[in-house]
Amino acid sequence: MEMARLASLVAATITMGLVSGLFYGFAVSVMPALRRTDDRTVIEVMQRINVAILNGWFVLGYIGALLFTGLALVLHALSARGAVLGPLAGAFVCYLVAMGVTARVNIPLNNALDKAGPPARIADAAAVRRGFEGPWVRANVWRTLLCTAATGLLAWALVLTP
């Protein structure tokens, strides 16, 4: 049981770190770079990213972070590991909120961008961009902060693990 607790906590920390890093990468490089381009480029690049990201490696990290953090929380709760439970519960809640932001803001914006159609055929690309970029970037900053906090809490739980 001890090995399962530790393995789930390590897997949670790694997968959460991957997701946190993905969102951080968008916040500090992808979106700032796109901000310096024209409307149709932003739309086309984000449409392509939204298709490309739906792959097994992304799902492993994104869903894995939830499952491994939940598993670590349950396994540690069952063994009454009190000191570790706080950081684990905090990480789980932070990630649930980040997933909520993704589901309620980022995904609907991605879907609306997809429905706008091919960038060359969009009559008012500037309006499409305005409706997408600002809200998407703000939501991404929130989920970056939440996932970074979750990663830190998981790292703290590793430190507290006997």
Side-chain angles (χ1 to χ4, degrees), residues 14-16 18-20 22-23 53-69 95-104 106-107 143 147:
I14 291 169
T15 52
M16 192 70 71
L18 291 171
V19 174
S20 179
L22 172 69
F23 295 155
I53 201 165
L54 298 177
N55 64 69
W57 291 110
F58 171 74
V59 172
L60 176 66
Y62 190 74
I63 301 300
L66 178 68
L67 296 178
F68 289 128
T69 303
Y95 194 57
L96 284 178
V97 173
M99 290 182 90
V101 169
T102 300
R104 294 185 59 100
N106 296 92
I107 291 173
R143 62 189 187 166
C147 288

Side-chain angles (χ1 to χ4, degrees), residues 18-92:
L18 291 171
V19 174
S20 179
L22 172 69
F23 295 155
Y24 177 76
F26 269 92
V28 302
S29 64
V30 175
M31 299 315 289
L34 287 175
R35 186 174 45 234
R36 295 177 177 95
T37 65
D38 65 272
D39 301 331
R40 294 187 196 291
T41 299
V42 170
I43 294 165
E44 181 176 1
V45 168
M46 288 306 296
Q47 284 177 338
R48 289 179 185 217
I49 288 172
N50 292 336
V51 170
I53 201 165
L54 298 177
N55 64 69
W57 291 110
F58 171 74
V59 172
L60 176 66
Y62 190 74
I63 301 300
L66 178 68
L67 296 178
F68 289 128
T69 303
L71 178 62
L73 180 58
V74 168
L75 292 177
H76 282 82
L78 291 175
S79 66
R81 301 282 182 177
V84 179
L85 291 179
L88 281 172
F92 192 72

